[in-house]
Amino acid sequence: MDRLMIDARLNEYTFRERNPNIPFSPEEIARDAAACCDAGASIVHYHARDPETGSPSSDPLLYAETARQIRGACDAMIMPTLGANTVTDLDERIGHIEFMAKDNATRADLAPLDLASISLGMWHEGMAEVGGDDLVYYNSVGILKALAARARAVGVLPMAAIWNIGSLRVLEAFAHTGVLPQTIFAELFTTEGGLIAGHPGTRRGLQALVDFVPDSVDCLWAAACYGANALDLAESAIEQGGHVAIGLGDYPYPEIGTGQPTNAEVIAAVVEIAHRKGREVATPEETRARLGAE
Ligand code: ZN
Protein backbone atom coordinates (compact mmCIF):
# COMPACT_ATOMS: atom_id res chain seq x y z
CA MET A 1 0.00 0.00 0.00
CA ASP A 2 1.29 3.48 -0.84
CA ARG A 3 2.21 5.76 2.01
CA LEU A 4 -0.63 8.13 2.85
CA MET A 5 -0.51 11.44 1.00
CA ILE A 6 -2.35 14.27 2.73
CA ASP A 7 -3.33 17.47 0.92
CA ALA A 8 -4.04 20.33 3.33
CA ARG A 9 -6.86 22.42 1.83
CA LEU A 10 -5.99 25.61 3.65
CA ASN A 11 -8.55 28.27 2.80
CA GLU A 12 -10.68 28.03 -0.38
CA TYR A 13 -12.94 31.12 -0.34
CA THR A 14 -14.11 30.43 3.20
CA PHE A 15 -14.49 33.28 5.68
CA ARG A 16 -13.69 33.36 9.39
CA GLU A 17 -17.13 33.51 11.06
CA ARG A 18 -17.00 29.88 12.09
CA ASN A 19 -13.25 29.50 12.47
CA PRO A 20 -10.83 32.45 12.79
CA ASN A 21 -7.81 30.30 11.86
CA ILE A 22 -8.37 30.40 8.09
CA PRO A 23 -5.25 31.95 6.51
CA PHE A 24 -5.57 34.86 4.04
CA SER A 25 -2.22 36.66 3.63
CA PRO A 26 0.92 35.08 2.12
CA GLU A 27 2.52 35.09 5.60
CA GLU A 28 -0.50 33.42 7.20
CA ILE A 29 -0.76 30.83 4.42
CA ALA A 30 2.96 30.01 4.57
CA ARG A 31 2.97 29.68 8.35
CA ASP A 32 -0.09 27.46 8.17
CA ALA A 33 1.42 25.37 5.36
CA ALA A 34 4.57 24.77 7.40
CA ALA A 35 2.56 23.70 10.44
CA CYS A 36 0.48 21.32 8.27
CA CYS A 37 3.66 19.92 6.74
CA ASP A 38 5.09 19.31 10.23
CA ALA A 39 1.82 17.57 11.14
CA GLY A 40 1.99 15.21 8.13
CA ALA A 41 0.68 16.98 5.03
CA SER A 42 2.81 16.63 1.91
CA ILE A 43 0.69 18.83 -0.41
CA VAL A 44 -0.79 22.25 0.38
CA HIS A 45 -3.63 23.80 -1.61
CA TYR A 46 -4.47 27.49 -1.39
CA HIS A 47 -6.45 30.29 -2.98
CA ALA A 48 -4.98 33.81 -3.00
CA ARG A 49 -7.04 36.09 -0.79
CA ASP A 50 -6.94 39.79 -0.10
CA PRO A 51 -4.67 39.94 2.99
CA GLU A 52 -6.98 42.38 4.80
CA THR A 53 -10.52 41.48 3.78
CA GLY A 54 -10.07 37.88 2.64
CA SER A 55 -11.88 38.59 -0.64
CA PRO A 56 -10.98 36.23 -3.48
CA SER A 57 -8.01 37.49 -5.48
CA SER A 58 -6.70 36.44 -8.86
CA ASP A 59 -3.57 38.63 -8.56
CA PRO A 60 -0.61 36.61 -9.93
CA LEU A 61 1.75 38.57 -7.66
CA LEU A 62 -0.17 37.45 -4.60
CA TYR A 63 -0.14 33.84 -5.82
CA ALA A 64 3.60 34.02 -6.46
CA GLU A 65 4.46 35.71 -3.17
CA THR A 66 2.45 33.09 -1.29
CA ALA A 67 4.28 30.26 -3.08
CA ARG A 68 7.64 31.91 -2.39
CA GLN A 69 6.89 32.07 1.32
CA ILE A 70 5.51 28.52 1.45
CA ARG A 71 8.67 27.24 -0.27
CA GLY A 72 10.78 29.17 2.23
CA ALA A 73 8.89 27.63 5.14
CA CYS A 74 8.50 23.96 4.20
CA ASP A 75 8.96 21.26 1.53
CA ALA A 76 5.27 20.55 0.85
CA MET A 77 4.18 20.33 -2.77
CA ILE A 78 2.41 23.56 -3.72
CA MET A 79 -1.00 23.47 -5.40
CA PRO A 80 -2.66 26.84 -6.03
CA THR A 81 -6.18 26.85 -7.40
CA LEU A 82 -6.72 27.00 -11.15
CA GLY A 83 -9.18 29.87 -11.21
CA ALA A 84 -12.43 30.53 -9.44
CA ASN A 85 -15.55 28.96 -10.88
CA THR A 86 -16.68 32.41 -11.96
CA VAL A 87 -13.57 33.02 -14.09
CA THR A 88 -14.19 31.85 -17.64
CA ASP A 89 -11.30 33.44 -19.53
CA LEU A 90 -8.66 30.82 -20.24
CA ASP A 91 -5.71 33.21 -19.88
CA GLU A 92 -7.03 34.39 -16.56
CA ARG A 93 -7.56 30.83 -15.28
CA ILE A 94 -3.99 29.69 -16.03
CA GLY A 95 -2.23 33.09 -16.00
CA HIS A 96 -1.04 32.97 -12.39
CA ILE A 97 0.36 29.43 -12.87
CA GLU A 98 2.37 30.60 -15.90
CA PHE A 99 3.49 33.76 -14.10
CA MET A 100 4.60 31.77 -11.04
CA ALA A 101 6.62 29.39 -13.24
CA LYS A 102 8.88 32.21 -14.44
CA ASP A 103 10.81 31.83 -11.20
CA ASN A 104 11.73 28.44 -9.71
CA ALA A 105 11.19 29.90 -6.24
CA THR A 106 7.51 30.51 -7.00
CA ARG A 107 6.66 27.71 -9.44
CA ALA A 108 3.60 25.64 -8.51
CA ASP A 109 4.09 21.87 -8.25
CA LEU A 110 0.51 20.86 -9.01
CA ALA A 111 -2.45 22.42 -10.80
CA PRO A 112 -5.96 21.01 -10.21
CA LEU A 113 -8.23 20.33 -13.18
CA ASP A 114 -11.93 19.80 -12.45
CA LEU A 115 -12.88 17.11 -14.95
CA ALA A 116 -16.55 18.07 -15.27
CA SER A 117 -18.82 21.00 -16.00
CA ILE A 118 -21.13 21.42 -13.06
CA SER A 119 -24.32 23.34 -12.27
CA LEU A 120 -23.57 24.67 -8.80
CA GLY A 121 -27.02 24.18 -7.28
CA MET A 122 -27.52 25.18 -3.65
CA TRP A 123 -30.23 23.67 -1.53
CA HIS A 124 -30.78 22.35 1.98
CA GLU A 125 -33.87 21.29 3.84
CA GLY A 126 -36.03 24.31 4.63
CA MET A 127 -35.07 26.26 1.49
CA ALA A 128 -38.18 27.04 -0.57
CA GLU A 129 -36.28 27.03 -3.82
CA VAL A 130 -32.97 25.85 -5.21
CA GLY A 131 -30.29 28.56 -5.43
CA GLY A 132 -27.42 29.01 -7.84
CA ASP A 133 -29.53 29.82 -10.91
CA ASP A 134 -26.64 31.14 -12.98
CA LEU A 135 -23.71 29.29 -11.44
CA VAL A 136 -22.12 26.88 -13.90
CA TYR A 137 -18.53 25.74 -13.47
CA TYR A 138 -17.62 25.40 -17.13
CA ASN A 139 -14.86 22.92 -18.03
CA SER A 140 -15.28 21.77 -21.62
CA VAL A 141 -12.96 19.09 -22.99
CA GLY A 142 -11.20 21.77 -25.05
CA ILE A 143 -10.62 23.99 -22.01
CA LEU A 144 -9.32 21.06 -19.96
CA LYS A 145 -6.92 20.02 -22.74
CA ALA A 146 -5.63 23.59 -22.98
CA LEU A 147 -5.23 23.99 -19.22
CA ALA A 148 -3.39 20.65 -18.94
CA ALA A 149 -1.08 21.48 -21.85
CA ARG A 150 -0.28 24.96 -20.59
CA ALA A 151 0.41 23.73 -17.04
CA ARG A 152 2.70 20.95 -18.29
CA ALA A 153 4.48 23.36 -20.67
CA VAL A 154 5.73 25.32 -17.66
CA GLY A 155 6.68 22.27 -15.61
CA VAL A 156 3.54 22.05 -13.46
CA LEU A 157 1.94 18.65 -12.95
CA PRO A 158 -1.83 18.51 -13.51
CA MET A 159 -3.93 16.70 -10.91
CA ALA A 160 -7.62 15.86 -11.15
CA ALA A 161 -10.63 17.01 -9.17
CA ILE A 162 -13.40 14.47 -9.57
CA TRP A 163 -17.08 15.38 -9.14
CA ASN A 164 -18.87 12.33 -10.47
CA ILE A 165 -18.33 9.01 -12.22
CA GLY A 166 -18.26 10.78 -15.58
CA SER A 167 -15.20 12.73 -14.39
CA LEU A 168 -13.41 9.42 -13.81
CA ARG A 169 -14.15 8.33 -17.38
CA VAL A 170 -12.71 11.62 -18.63
CA LEU A 171 -9.64 11.02 -16.44
CA GLU A 172 -9.12 7.59 -17.99
CA ALA A 173 -9.55 8.94 -21.52
CA PHE A 174 -7.18 11.86 -20.87
CA ALA A 175 -4.56 9.57 -19.31
CA HIS A 176 -4.69 7.22 -22.33
CA THR A 177 -4.44 10.04 -24.86
CA GLY A 178 -1.57 11.88 -23.20
CA VAL A 179 -3.54 14.90 -21.97
CA LEU A 180 -2.86 13.82 -18.39
CA PRO A 181 0.12 11.86 -17.02
CA GLN A 182 -0.20 8.09 -16.47
CA THR A 183 0.38 8.56 -12.74
CA ILE A 184 -2.09 11.06 -11.40
CA PHE A 185 -3.33 12.36 -8.08
CA ALA A 186 -7.14 12.59 -8.13
CA GLU A 187 -9.27 14.11 -5.39
CA LEU A 188 -12.71 12.51 -5.17
CA PHE A 189 -15.01 15.33 -4.07
CA THR A 190 -18.18 14.90 -2.14
CA THR A 191 -20.25 17.97 -1.23
CA GLU A 192 -22.46 18.88 1.72
CA GLY A 193 -23.63 22.05 3.49
CA GLY A 194 -26.04 23.07 0.74
CA LEU A 195 -23.83 22.43 -2.29
CA ILE A 196 -25.73 19.66 -4.05
CA ALA A 197 -23.52 19.33 -7.14
CA GLY A 198 -21.39 16.45 -5.87
CA HIS A 199 -21.93 13.03 -4.37
CA PRO A 200 -23.18 13.03 -0.75
CA GLY A 201 -20.39 13.24 1.82
CA THR A 202 -21.03 9.76 3.13
CA ARG A 203 -19.08 6.52 2.81
CA ARG A 204 -21.57 5.42 0.16
CA GLY A 205 -21.21 8.69 -1.74
CA LEU A 206 -17.44 8.31 -1.70
CA GLN A 207 -17.50 4.60 -2.50
CA ALA A 208 -19.56 5.16 -5.64
CA LEU A 209 -16.56 7.15 -6.92
CA VAL A 210 -13.89 4.80 -5.56
CA ASP A 211 -15.57 1.87 -7.33
CA PHE A 212 -15.11 3.61 -10.68
CA VAL A 213 -11.49 4.75 -10.28
CA PRO A 214 -10.04 3.30 -13.53
CA ASP A 215 -7.76 0.28 -13.09
CA SER A 216 -5.93 1.10 -16.29
CA VAL A 217 -4.43 4.30 -14.85
CA ASP A 218 -2.00 4.71 -11.93
CA CYS A 219 -4.54 6.86 -10.12
CA LEU A 220 -3.75 7.93 -6.56
CA TRP A 221 -7.17 8.92 -5.28
CA ALA A 222 -7.92 11.01 -2.25
CA ALA A 223 -11.16 11.41 -0.31
CA ALA A 224 -12.48 14.96 0.11
CA CYS A 225 -15.66 16.61 1.32
CA TYR A 226 -16.64 20.22 0.82
CA GLY A 227 -19.07 21.38 3.48
CA ALA A 228 -18.90 18.68 6.15
CA ASN A 229 -16.54 16.76 8.43
CA ALA A 230 -14.46 14.47 6.19
CA LEU A 231 -12.73 12.44 8.93
CA ASP A 232 -14.96 9.40 8.44
CA LEU A 233 -14.28 9.48 4.70
CA ALA A 234 -10.58 9.90 5.50
CA GLU A 235 -10.73 6.75 7.61
CA SER A 236 -12.41 4.86 4.75
CA ALA A 237 -9.75 6.09 2.32
CA ILE A 238 -6.94 5.16 4.70
CA GLU A 239 -8.39 1.63 5.04
CA GLN A 240 -8.63 1.22 1.25
CA GLY A 241 -5.21 2.52 0.29
CA GLY A 242 -6.53 5.92 -0.80
CA HIS A 243 -5.29 9.33 0.25
CA VAL A 244 -6.86 12.36 1.94
CA ALA A 245 -7.54 16.01 1.02
CA ILE A 246 -8.90 18.00 3.96
CA GLY A 247 -8.79 21.36 5.69
CA LEU A 248 -10.50 24.45 7.02
CA GLY A 249 -11.18 25.66 3.48
CA ASP A 250 -13.83 22.94 3.30
CA TYR A 251 -15.26 22.90 6.81
CA PRO A 252 -14.51 24.58 10.19
CA TYR A 253 -14.13 21.30 12.20
CA PRO A 254 -15.83 22.33 15.46
CA GLU A 255 -15.55 18.64 16.48
CA ILE A 256 -11.77 18.93 16.96
CA GLY A 257 -9.98 20.22 20.10
CA THR A 258 -11.29 23.51 21.41
CA GLY A 259 -13.88 23.78 18.62
CA GLN A 260 -11.80 26.16 16.51
CA PRO A 261 -8.85 24.05 15.39
CA THR A 262 -6.04 25.10 13.09
CA ASN A 263 -5.43 23.38 9.77
CA ALA A 264 -2.48 21.58 11.40
CA GLU A 265 -4.80 20.15 14.07
CA VAL A 266 -7.09 18.83 11.32
CA ILE A 267 -4.10 17.20 9.61
CA ALA A 268 -3.00 15.74 12.97
CA ALA A 269 -6.44 14.16 13.34
CA VAL A 270 -5.96 12.40 9.98
CA VAL A 271 -2.46 11.23 10.95
CA GLU A 272 -3.86 9.86 14.19
CA ILE A 273 -6.33 7.74 12.18
CA ALA A 274 -3.50 6.57 9.92
CA HIS A 275 -1.42 5.48 12.91
CA ARG A 276 -4.39 3.66 14.41
CA LYS A 277 -4.86 1.82 11.08
CA GLY A 278 -1.16 1.04 10.70
CA ARG A 279 -0.72 3.23 7.62
CA GLU A 280 2.54 5.14 7.14
CA VAL A 281 2.35 8.82 6.14
CA ALA A 282 4.31 10.04 3.10
CA THR A 283 6.84 12.84 3.41
CA PRO A 284 6.80 15.62 0.78
CA GLU A 285 9.85 13.98 -0.83
CA GLU A 286 8.07 10.62 -1.05
CA THR A 287 4.92 12.22 -2.46
CA ARG A 288 6.96 14.10 -5.06
CA ALA A 289 8.70 10.89 -6.13
CA ARG A 290 5.47 8.87 -6.24
CA LEU A 291 3.76 11.48 -8.43
CA GLY A 292 6.74 11.62 -10.77
CA ALA A 293 7.47 15.28 -9.98
CA GLU A 294 11.01 16.53 -10.42
ZN1 ZN B 1 -9.52 25.14 -3.94
Side-chain angles (χ1 to χ4, degrees):
M1 208 178 268
D2 280 311
R3 290 192 169 208
L4 176 66
M5 301 174 201
I6 305 172
D7 169 20
R9 291 173 45 80
L10 301 178
N11 61 355
E12 298 304 303
Y13 291 128
T14 304
F15 283 90
R16 290 175 173 160
E17 302 94 5
R18 294 173 70 192
N19 189 322
N21 295 314
I22 293 166
F24 293 162
S25 70
E27 295 78 12
E28 289 166 352
I29 293 172
R31 202 180 317 126
D32 215 34
C36 288
C37 193
D38 282 346
S42 51
I43 302 171
V44 294
H45 171 64
Y46 71 95
H47 292 231
R49 309 279 295 265
D50 181 281
E52 301 300 324
T53 64
S55 330
S57 170
S58 53
D59 183 354
L61 289 168
L62 204 47
Y63 272 100
E65 180 55 24
T66 304
R68 184 190 309 281
Q69 295 202 25
I70 294 173
R71 194 143 283 152
C74 68
D75 295 330
M77 293 186 81
I78 297 175
M79 187 211 303
T81 190
L82 204 56
N85 60 49
T86 48
V87 177
T88 49
D89 180 73
L90 195 61
D91 290 327
E92 211 175 316
R93 284 188 70 179
I94 192 82
H96 60 297
I97 299 287
E98 292 175 332
F99 177 79
M100 291 166 74
K102 289 180 177 158
D103 182 347
N104 277 333
T106 62
R107 185 195 308 275
D109 294 297
L110 293 162
L113 295 179
D114 289 81
L115 301 185
S117 291
I118 302 283
S119 295
L120 297 170
M122 301 293 301
W123 184 82
H124 55 73
E125 241 175 78
M127 280 174 74
E129 61 176 299
V130 178
D133 282 15
D134 300 321
L135 295 178
V136 177
Y137 188 19
Y138 184 70
N139 291 292
S140 69
V141 165
I143 283 176
L144 292 170
K145 283 179 183 171
L147 291 173
R150 286 172 69 166
R152 295 177 89 178
V154 294
V156 178
L157 208 53
M159 55 79 60
I162 299 298
W163 287 75
N164 50 36
I165 291 165
S167 303
L168 289 161
R169 302 181 77 182
V170 173
L171 182 150
E172 182 173 36
F174 276 170
H176 282 279
T177 51
V179 175
L180 291 176
Q182 275 292 316
T183 295
I184 184 156
F185 191 69
E187 297 187 348
L188 309 184
F189 273 90
T190 60
T191 63
E192 289 290 342
L195 181 57
I196 54 173
H199 284 218
T202 60
R203 286 199 178 213
R204 282 180 71 202
L206 173 67
Q207 199 62 40
L209 297 170
V210 173
D211 288 346
F212 283 90
V213 169
D215 290 332
S216 67
V217 177
D218 183 22
C219 181
L220 302 155
W221 63 267
C225 181
Y226 183 86
N229 186 324
L231 288 172
D232 189 49
L233 302 187
E235 181 167 319
S236 175
I238 287 166
E239 288 165 352
Q240 298 185 69
H243 304 275
V244 176
I246 195 167
L248 298 181
D250 293 331
Y251 180 70
Y253 286 91
E255 301 87 352
I256 293 177
T258 58
Q260 290 189 328
T262 61
N263 271 308
E265 289 174 298
V266 177
I267 301 304
V270 175
V271 170
E272 196 272 323
I273 296 169
H275 288 163
R276 184 151 44 81
K277 300 282 174 184
R279 184 98 183 267
E280 300 274 359
V281 177
T283 63
E285 195 182 9
E286 288 164 344
T287 293
R288 237 172 252 279
R290 184 66 182 86
L291 295 180
E294 56 200 58

